[in-house]
mmCIF file with all atom_site columns, all heavy atoms in Angstrom:
data_model
loop_
_atom_site.group_PDB
_atom_site.id
_atom_site.type_symbol
_atom_site.label_atom_id
_atom_site.label_alt_id
_atom_site.label_comp_id
_atom_site.label_asym_id
_atom_site.label_entity_id
_atom_site.label_seq_id
_atom_site.pdbx_PDB_ins_code
_atom_site.Cartn_x
_atom_site.Cartn_y
_atom_site.Cartn_z
_atom_site.occupancy
_atom_site.B_iso_or_equiv
_atom_site.pdbx_formal_charge
_atom_site.auth_seq_id
_atom_site.auth_comp_id
_atom_site.auth_asym_id
_atom_site.auth_atom_id
_atom_site.pdbx_PDB_model_num
ATOM 1   N N   . ASP H 1 63 ? -2.022 1.398  -19.080 1.00 0.00 ? 68 ASP H N   1
ATOM 2   C CA  . ASP H 1 63 ? -2.089 2.857  -19.093 1.00 0.00 ? 68 ASP H CA  1
ATOM 3   C C   . ASP H 1 63 ? -0.718 3.344  -18.596 1.00 0.00 ? 68 ASP H C   1
ATOM 4   O O   . ASP H 1 63 ? 0.076  2.554  -18.084 1.00 0.00 ? 68 ASP H O   1
ATOM 5   C CB  . ASP H 1 63 ? -3.215 3.329  -18.164 1.00 0.00 ? 68 ASP H CB  1
ATOM 6   C CG  . ASP H 1 63 ? -3.689 4.741  -18.493 1.00 0.00 ? 68 ASP H CG  1
ATOM 7   O OD1 . ASP H 1 63 ? -3.146 5.359  -19.440 1.00 0.00 ? 68 ASP H OD1 1
ATOM 8   O OD2 . ASP H 1 63 ? -4.600 5.237  -17.788 1.00 0.00 ? 68 ASP H OD2 1
ATOM 9   N N   . PHE H 1 64 ? -0.480 4.627  -18.758 1.00 0.00 ? 69 PHE H N   1
ATOM 10  C CA  . PHE H 1 64 ? 0.848  5.154  -18.440 1.00 0.00 ? 69 PHE H CA  1
ATOM 11  C C   . PHE H 1 64 ? 0.737  6.469  -17.690 1.00 0.00 ? 69 PHE H C   1
ATOM 12  O O   . PHE H 1 64 ? -0.228 7.207  -17.859 1.00 0.00 ? 69 PHE H O   1
ATOM 13  C CB  . PHE H 1 64 ? 1.635  5.402  -19.740 1.00 0.00 ? 69 PHE H CB  1
ATOM 14  C CG  . PHE H 1 64 ? 1.851  4.145  -20.544 1.00 0.00 ? 69 PHE H CG  1
ATOM 15  C CD1 . PHE H 1 64 ? 0.916  3.748  -21.494 1.00 0.00 ? 69 PHE H CD1 1
ATOM 16  C CD2 . PHE H 1 64 ? 2.964  3.349  -20.326 1.00 0.00 ? 69 PHE H CD2 1
ATOM 17  C CE1 . PHE H 1 64 ? 1.096  2.571  -22.211 1.00 0.00 ? 69 PHE H CE1 1
ATOM 18  C CE2 . PHE H 1 64 ? 3.159  2.182  -21.041 1.00 0.00 ? 69 PHE H CE2 1
ATOM 19  C CZ  . PHE H 1 64 ? 2.221  1.789  -21.992 1.00 0.00 ? 69 PHE H CZ  1
ATOM 20  N N   . LEU H 1 65 ? 1.722  6.738  -16.886 1.00 0.00 ? 70 LEU H N   1
ATOM 21  C CA  . LEU H 1 65 ? 1.856  8.084  -16.341 1.00 0.00 ? 70 LEU H CA  1
ATOM 22  C C   . LEU H 1 65 ? 3.326  8.466  -16.409 1.00 0.00 ? 70 LEU H C   1
ATOM 23  O O   . LEU H 1 65 ? 4.191  7.600  -16.500 1.00 0.00 ? 70 LEU H O   1
ATOM 24  C CB  . LEU H 1 65 ? 1.299  8.207  -14.924 1.00 0.00 ? 70 LEU H CB  1
ATOM 25  C CG  . LEU H 1 65 ? 1.497  7.080  -13.927 1.00 0.00 ? 70 LEU H CG  1
ATOM 26  C CD1 . LEU H 1 65 ? 2.882  7.114  -13.376 1.00 0.00 ? 70 LEU H CD1 1
ATOM 27  C CD2 . LEU H 1 65 ? 0.489  7.226  -12.815 1.00 0.00 ? 70 LEU H CD2 1
ATOM 28  N N   . THR H 1 66 ? 3.555  9.747  -16.387 1.00 0.00 ? 71 THR H N   1
ATOM 29  C CA  . THR H 1 66 ? 4.952  10.220 -16.458 1.00 0.00 ? 71 THR H CA  1
ATOM 30  C C   . THR H 1 66 ? 5.333  10.872 -15.151 1.00 0.00 ? 71 THR H C   1
ATOM 31  O O   . THR H 1 66 ? 4.653  11.791 -14.688 1.00 0.00 ? 71 THR H O   1
ATOM 32  C CB  . THR H 1 66 ? 5.131  11.246 -17.597 1.00 0.00 ? 71 THR H CB  1
ATOM 33  O OG1 . THR H 1 66 ? 4.458  10.782 -18.752 1.00 0.00 ? 71 THR H OG1 1
ATOM 34  C CG2 . THR H 1 66 ? 6.607  11.463 -17.906 1.00 0.00 ? 71 THR H CG2 1
ATOM 35  N N   . ILE H 1 67 ? 6.413  10.371 -14.588 1.00 0.00 ? 72 ILE H N   1
ATOM 36  C CA  . ILE H 1 67 ? 6.921  10.936 -13.339 1.00 0.00 ? 72 ILE H CA  1
ATOM 37  C C   . ILE H 1 67 ? 8.358  11.348 -13.568 1.00 0.00 ? 72 ILE H C   1
ATOM 38  O O   . ILE H 1 67 ? 9.115  10.634 -14.230 1.00 0.00 ? 72 ILE H O   1
ATOM 39  C CB  . ILE H 1 67 ? 6.827  9.899  -12.207 1.00 0.00 ? 72 ILE H CB  1
ATOM 40  C CG1 . ILE H 1 67 ? 5.367  9.698  -11.816 1.00 0.00 ? 72 ILE H CG1 1
ATOM 41  C CG2 . ILE H 1 67 ? 7.635  10.334 -11.009 1.00 0.00 ? 72 ILE H CG2 1
ATOM 42  C CD1 . ILE H 1 67 ? 5.168  8.796  -10.633 1.00 0.00 ? 72 ILE H CD1 1
ATOM 43  N N   . SER H 1 68 ? 8.718  12.501 -13.043 1.00 0.00 ? 73 SER H N   1
ATOM 44  C CA  . SER H 1 68 ? 10.116 12.886 -13.168 1.00 0.00 ? 73 SER H CA  1
ATOM 45  C C   . SER H 1 68 ? 10.710 13.083 -11.790 1.00 0.00 ? 73 SER H C   1
ATOM 46  O O   . SER H 1 68 ? 10.075 13.639 -10.894 1.00 0.00 ? 73 SER H O   1
ATOM 47  C CB  . SER H 1 68 ? 10.239 14.156 -14.013 1.00 0.00 ? 73 SER H CB  1
ATOM 48  O OG  . SER H 1 68 ? 10.781 15.191 -13.247 1.00 0.00 ? 73 SER H OG  1
ATOM 49  N N   . SER H 1 69 ? 11.907 12.562 -11.598 1.00 0.00 ? 74 SER H N   1
ATOM 50  C CA  . SER H 1 69 ? 12.578 12.806 -10.324 1.00 0.00 ? 74 SER H CA  1
ATOM 51  C C   . SER H 1 69 ? 14.047 13.124 -10.542 1.00 0.00 ? 74 SER H C   1
ATOM 52  O O   . SER H 1 69 ? 14.737 13.537 -9.618  1.00 0.00 ? 74 SER H O   1
ATOM 53  C CB  . SER H 1 69 ? 12.455 11.602 -9.384  1.00 0.00 ? 74 SER H CB  1
ATOM 54  O OG  . SER H 1 69 ? 13.106 10.487 -9.945  1.00 0.00 ? 74 SER H OG  1
ATOM 55  N N   . TYR H 1 70 ? 14.508 12.934 -11.751 1.00 0.00 ? 75 TYR H N   1
ATOM 56  C CA  . TYR H 1 70 ? 15.946 13.003 -11.976 1.00 0.00 ? 75 TYR H CA  1
ATOM 57  C C   . TYR H 1 70 ? 16.441 14.227 -12.727 1.00 0.00 ? 75 TYR H C   1
ATOM 58  O O   . TYR H 1 70 ? 17.612 14.526 -12.662 1.00 0.00 ? 75 TYR H O   1
ATOM 59  C CB  . TYR H 1 70 ? 16.399 11.746 -12.746 1.00 0.00 ? 75 TYR H CB  1
ATOM 60  C CG  . TYR H 1 70 ? 17.081 10.759 -11.837 1.00 0.00 ? 75 TYR H CG  1
ATOM 61  C CD1 . TYR H 1 70 ? 16.375 10.128 -10.837 1.00 0.00 ? 75 TYR H CD1 1
ATOM 62  C CD2 . TYR H 1 70 ? 18.432 10.492 -11.956 1.00 0.00 ? 75 TYR H CD2 1
ATOM 63  C CE1 . TYR H 1 70 ? 16.973 9.228  -9.993  1.00 0.00 ? 75 TYR H CE1 1
ATOM 64  C CE2 . TYR H 1 70 ? 19.048 9.590  -11.113 1.00 0.00 ? 75 TYR H CE2 1
ATOM 65  C CZ  . TYR H 1 70 ? 18.320 8.958  -10.123 1.00 0.00 ? 75 TYR H CZ  1
ATOM 66  O OH  . TYR H 1 70 ? 18.926 8.080  -9.291  1.00 0.00 ? 75 TYR H OH  1
ATOM 67  N N   . GLY H 1 71 ? 15.584 14.909 -13.476 1.00 0.00 ? 76 GLY H N   1
ATOM 68  C CA  . GLY H 1 71 ? 16.107 15.957 -14.358 1.00 0.00 ? 76 GLY H CA  1
ATOM 69  C C   . GLY H 1 71 ? 17.029 15.310 -15.362 1.00 0.00 ? 76 GLY H C   1
ATOM 70  O O   . GLY H 1 71 ? 16.812 14.176 -15.758 1.00 0.00 ? 76 GLY H O   1
ATOM 71  N N   . ASP H 1 72 ? 18.085 15.946 -15.715 1.00 0.00 ? 77 ASP H N   1
ATOM 72  C CA  . ASP H 1 72 ? 18.977 15.382 -16.720 1.00 0.00 ? 77 ASP H CA  1
ATOM 73  C C   . ASP H 1 72 ? 20.271 14.862 -16.119 1.00 0.00 ? 77 ASP H C   1
ATOM 74  O O   . ASP H 1 72 ? 21.234 14.608 -16.802 1.00 0.00 ? 77 ASP H O   1
ATOM 75  C CB  . ASP H 1 72 ? 19.284 16.417 -17.807 1.00 0.00 ? 77 ASP H CB  1
ATOM 76  C CG  . ASP H 1 72 ? 18.224 16.388 -18.881 1.00 0.00 ? 77 ASP H CG  1
ATOM 77  O OD1 . ASP H 1 72 ? 17.411 15.450 -18.858 1.00 0.00 ? 77 ASP H OD1 1
ATOM 78  O OD2 . ASP H 1 72 ? 18.208 17.302 -19.713 1.00 0.00 ? 77 ASP H OD2 1
ATOM 79  N N   . GLN H 1 73 ? 20.298 14.740 -14.812 1.00 0.00 ? 78 GLN H N   1
ATOM 80  C CA  . GLN H 1 73 ? 21.535 14.284 -14.197 1.00 0.00 ? 78 GLN H CA  1
ATOM 81  C C   . GLN H 1 73 ? 21.446 12.850 -13.731 1.00 0.00 ? 78 GLN H C   1
ATOM 82  O O   . GLN H 1 73 ? 20.415 12.209 -13.844 1.00 0.00 ? 78 GLN H O   1
ATOM 83  C CB  . GLN H 1 73 ? 21.869 15.191 -13.018 1.00 0.00 ? 78 GLN H CB  1
ATOM 84  C CG  . GLN H 1 73 ? 22.606 16.459 -13.476 1.00 0.00 ? 78 GLN H CG  1
ATOM 85  C CD  . GLN H 1 73 ? 22.026 17.666 -12.831 1.00 0.00 ? 78 GLN H CD  1
ATOM 86  O OE1 . GLN H 1 73 ? 21.838 17.654 -11.611 1.00 0.00 ? 78 GLN H OE1 1
ATOM 87  N NE2 . GLN H 1 73 ? 21.726 18.683 -13.613 1.00 0.00 ? 78 GLN H NE2 1
ATOM 88  N N   . THR H 1 74 ? 22.556 12.355 -13.226 1.00 0.00 ? 79 THR H N   1
ATOM 89  C CA  . THR H 1 74 ? 22.564 10.973 -12.754 1.00 0.00 ? 79 THR H CA  1
ATOM 90  C C   . THR H 1 74 ? 22.324 10.894 -11.251 1.00 0.00 ? 79 THR H C   1
ATOM 91  O O   . THR H 1 74 ? 22.427 9.853  -10.658 1.00 0.00 ? 79 THR H O   1
ATOM 92  C CB  . THR H 1 74 ? 23.899 10.278 -13.103 1.00 0.00 ? 79 THR H CB  1
ATOM 93  O OG1 . THR H 1 74 ? 24.958 11.029 -12.538 1.00 0.00 ? 79 THR H OG1 1
ATOM 94  C CG2 . THR H 1 74 ? 24.093 10.170 -14.601 1.00 0.00 ? 79 THR H CG2 1
ATOM 95  N N   . LYS H 1 75 ? 21.992 12.028 -10.641 1.00 0.00 ? 80 LYS H N   1
ATOM 96  C CA  . LYS H 1 75 ? 21.659 12.009 -9.211  1.00 0.00 ? 80 LYS H CA  1
ATOM 97  C C   . LYS H 1 75 ? 20.219 12.460 -9.030  1.00 0.00 ? 80 LYS H C   1
ATOM 98  O O   . LYS H 1 75 ? 19.784 13.420 -9.659  1.00 0.00 ? 80 LYS H O   1
ATOM 99  C CB  . LYS H 1 75 ? 22.579 12.978 -8.447  1.00 0.00 ? 80 LYS H CB  1
ATOM 100 C CG  . LYS H 1 75 ? 23.995 12.459 -8.307  1.00 0.00 ? 80 LYS H CG  1
ATOM 101 C CD  . LYS H 1 75 ? 24.395 12.361 -6.828  1.00 0.00 ? 80 LYS H CD  1
ATOM 102 C CE  . LYS H 1 75 ? 25.666 11.556 -6.653  1.00 0.00 ? 80 LYS H CE  1
ATOM 103 N NZ  . LYS H 1 75 ? 26.842 12.259 -7.178  1.00 0.00 ? 80 LYS H NZ  1
ATOM 104 N N   . SER H 1 76 ? 19.488 11.763 -8.165  1.00 0.00 ? 81 SER H N   1
ATOM 105 C CA  . SER H 1 76 ? 18.091 12.115 -7.941  1.00 0.00 ? 81 SER H CA  1
ATOM 106 C C   . SER H 1 76 ? 17.994 13.490 -7.298  1.00 0.00 ? 81 SER H C   1
ATOM 107 O O   . SER H 1 76 ? 18.743 13.812 -6.388  1.00 0.00 ? 81 SER H O   1
ATOM 108 C CB  . SER H 1 76 ? 17.435 11.088 -7.023  1.00 0.00 ? 81 SER H CB  1
ATOM 109 O OG  . SER H 1 76 ? 16.143 11.513 -6.692  1.00 0.00 ? 81 SER H OG  1
ATOM 110 N N   . SER H 1 77 ? 17.033 14.282 -7.786  1.00 0.00 ? 82 SER H N   1
ATOM 111 C CA  . SER H 1 77 ? 16.803 15.581 -7.169  1.00 0.00 ? 82 SER H CA  1
ATOM 112 C C   . SER H 1 77 ? 16.023 15.380 -5.868  1.00 0.00 ? 82 SER H C   1
ATOM 113 O O   . SER H 1 77 ? 15.972 16.269 -5.022  1.00 0.00 ? 82 SER H O   1
ATOM 114 C CB  . SER H 1 77 ? 16.002 16.472 -8.111  1.00 0.00 ? 82 SER H CB  1
ATOM 115 O OG  . SER H 1 77 ? 14.730 15.899 -8.326  1.00 0.00 ? 82 SER H OG  1
#
Side-chain angles (χ1 to χ4, degrees):
D68 201 0
F69 299 89
L70 39 78
T71 316
I72 289 185
S73 117
S74 63
Y75 257 66
D77 274 349
Q78 276 134 48
T79 57
K80 287 238 167 69
S81 173
S82 63

